[in-house]
Amino acid sequence: MADLLRLLLQVAEKAANVARVCRQEAPLFQLLVQEKTGDDKNKKFVQDFKTLADVVIQEMIRHDVGAQFPEMVGFIHGEESNKFENGLGESVTVTVCSTEGETATLLASVLDNNHTAASLLARAIHRDPVTTDAQADALMVPLNPSDLGIWIDPIDATSQYIEGREEVLEEGRLFPSGLHCALVLIGVYLRSSGEPVMGVINQPFNYKDPVSGSWSGRHFWGVSCGGVNTSSESRPKDVPDRGPSVVLSSSEKQVVKEALISFYGPDKLMYASGAGYKILCVIQGLADIYVLSEGSTFKWDSCAPHALLRALGGGVADLAESLQDGQTELTYHQPREECKGADRWANHGGLVAYRDQAQLHSVIRTLKGKL
Ligand code: 2IP
Ligand code: CA
Ligand code: CA
């Protein structure tokens, strides 16, 4: 099943190309950043386009994975629905067609007949990038496609993607917001137990060439199953005397912030955008723990980075359950039947992402009785 990992790396890179094309090609970029001051139809259309980038990426991933692994068709889920209503009130089902021309025609019907924009998108969807990763290629993965399901977040931290602020990243430092927080997340789980077993993260806007002005991305992957724990990342080395740090959403509850400050110290709390980016910060050792007390993330946000953390010896625990009955890892196979729509797949109890069990236990002790 290293074939699946290779395919996910390739399709995540293609997703990153689509995300970059939407910002780099003028006819698409104009749609992305159009002023929201127009009439209602215009406002709706701009909203449509933002959603369209997400829908197109998700359908492309679903199409490519389903074509190579037919056993997985029906088990490839994501944040978006492919039913799409355009600014004219027409309903269109967004799919990837067998030729670039057909895909362009279909996309034009969603894009109010903007054929230039539709052709640019279709071209990115139908060009397969070459991705090479020697370590991933050499891996033996004991998994069977008919046992697996997939969660896709085509673009996480959409608000940062739209806002588009550029940061020059520095090794070893967390940057709280900007284009680099936007991530493509593809997570694979076992249908039987819901355990996350493989994850691919693509960061489309990792480095901007100062001369050409074009962006290149970076990918991260991890596999954790049947005794195999391998990742593109190595466990970050502990820095003596540095002390653990925590990353939070800026909208985290005051009571949680205060409890964590009293334990870790005020200068050890950091804030960052994007649920995926915050877990990536824990993976990379830019933070030791990510705590979220609200049910504001979903299975598609956490599945991929959760698999990477497991491969490094860590995990993502359900915060509410861990505060009640001891540690419980998030799983990915069962909806909450009592909920409707996206809420069925929310991580209702909040979460704690960690590399070290000891850090998880400290957080649970610190927050016990406070929420
Ligand atoms: C969002 C995105 C937000 C995050 C929220 C996710 O996903 O990652 O940034 O909030 O939980 O659902 P925060 O940044 O406060 O952690 P999307 O951008 O895909 O809607
Ligand atoms: Ca998301
Ligand atoms: Ca998203």
Side-chain angles (χ1 to χ4, degrees):
M1 283 302 283
D3 287 2
L4 178 62
L5 178 59
R6 265 196 299 272
L7 175 67
L8 296 185
L9 287 168
Q10 187 187 48
V11 79
E13 182 59 22
K14 197 152 76 155
N17 282 341
V18 173
R20 283 187 290 257
V21 156
C22 289
R23 290 200 60 87
Q24 283 178 348
E25 294 288 348
L28 291 166
F29 184 65
Q30 276 158 15
L31 295 175
L32 200 64
V33 297
Q34 250 175 62
E35 283 287 310
K36 287 195 200 163
T37 48
D39 58 15
D40 272 357
K41 183 184 155 252
N42 184 49
K43 277 190 214 160
K44 173 86 171 60
F45 180 59
V46 173
Q47 200 51 50
D48 277 356
F49 183 70
K50 289 170 187 169
T51 316
L52 182 68
D54 269 22
V55 173
V56 159
I57 291 174
Q58 184 177 304
E59 284 313 302
M60 185 188 76
I61 298 172
R62 199 205 300 272
H63 171 268
D64 286 13
V65 175
Q68 193 168 324
F69 295 99
E71 309 93 319
M72 296 181 77
V73 171
F75 295 89
I76 308 169
H77 322 284
E79 179 183 16
E80 306 294 342
S81 148
N82 65 345
K83 299 271 182 307
F84 198 86
E85 195 176 295
N86 70 7
L88 305 171
E90 300 156 345
S91 183
V92 183
T93 300
V94 175
T95 50
V96 173
C97 308
S98 43
T99 66
E100 189 178 320
E102 286 168 323
T103 302
T105 306
L106 187 124
L107 290 175
S109 69
V110 186
L111 290 168
D112 278 358
N113 286 321
N114 184 336
H115 290 278
T116 317
S119 303
L120 284 165
L121 264 183
R123 189 193 303 160
I125 292 168
H126 285 269
R127 297 284 145 90
D128 285 329
V130 182
T131 41
T132 45
D133 186 308
Q135 197 192 349
D137 285 348
L139 201 64
M140 297 290 285
V141 184
L143 289 171
N144 184 337
S146 38
D147 296 334
L148 305 174
I150 289 191
W151 279 114
I152 304 163
D153 190 341
I155 301 178
D156 186 46
T158 339
S159 57
Q160 297 302 313
Y161 174 64
I162 304 291
E163 194 180 311
R165 214 167 24 74
E166 302 179 356
E167 293 280 7
V168 180
L169 302 184
E170 286 162 35
E171 197 70 33
R173 250 190 78 190
L174 178 156
F175 285 79
S177 60
L179 262 178
H180 63 280
C181 296
L183 302 176
V184 178
L185 306 171
I186 311 177
V188 182
Y189 64 90
L190 286 180
R191 288 180 208 170
S192 55
S193 64
E195 281 168 82
V197 287
M198 187 185 283
V200 167
I201 300 175
N202 193 304
Q203 186 177 39
F205 304 94
N206 177 264
Y207 173 75
K208 187 176 184 178
D209 188 303
V211 181
S212 68
S214 60
W215 283 94
S216 50
R218 181 169 171 191
H219 69 236
F220 309 83
W221 58 265
V223 172
S224 177
C225 59
V228 175
N229 283 297
T230 314
S231 168
S232 58
E233 305 309 291
S234 27
R235 266 185 77 83
K237 290 193 187 63
D238 288 333
V239 181
D241 306 328
R242 193 202 61 175
S245 59
V246 186
V247 65
L248 302 172
S249 164
S250 52
S251 62
E252 186 51 77
K253 292 191 196 94
Q254 198 55 30
V255 57
V256 172
K257 291 182 188 170
E258 280 163 15
L260 293 171
I261 285 174
S262 70
F263 184 75
Y264 291 97
D267 54 335
K268 295 295 181 195
L269 260 58
M270 299 177 286
Y271 299 91
S273 284
Y277 179 66
K278 283 189 276 290
I279 312 183
L280 182 60
C281 287
V282 177
I283 292 167
Q284 294 185 290
L286 306 179
D288 296 290
I289 288 269
Y290 163 33
V291 181
L292 174 69
S293 66
E294 306 270 5
S296 54
T297 67
F298 298 86
K299 297 303 171 196
W300 48 81
D301 291 312
S302 53
C303 187
H306 189 172
L308 269 88
L309 273 177
R310 272 168 48 108
L312 295 172
V316 183
D318 180 308
L319 175 60
E321 284 182 16
S322 302
L323 287 169
Q324 266 177 7
D325 338 300
Q327 188 197 332
T328 321
E329 287 285 298
L330 293 182
T331 54
Y332 295 89
H333 60 323
Q334 280 164 345
R336 282 176 76 107
E337 298 294 356
E338 68 276 24
C339 298
K340 284 212 173 71
D343 262 355
R344 282 158 47 89
W345 297 106
N347 295 318
H348 275 267
L351 57 82
V352 183
Y354 60 95
R355 286 191 317 280
D356 279 309
Q357 290 273 344
Q359 297 291 350
L360 170 67
H361 295 148
S362 304
V363 164
I364 298 301
R365 272 198 309 275
T366 306
L367 294 179
K368 209 158 194 138
K370 305 251 167 50
L371 287 172

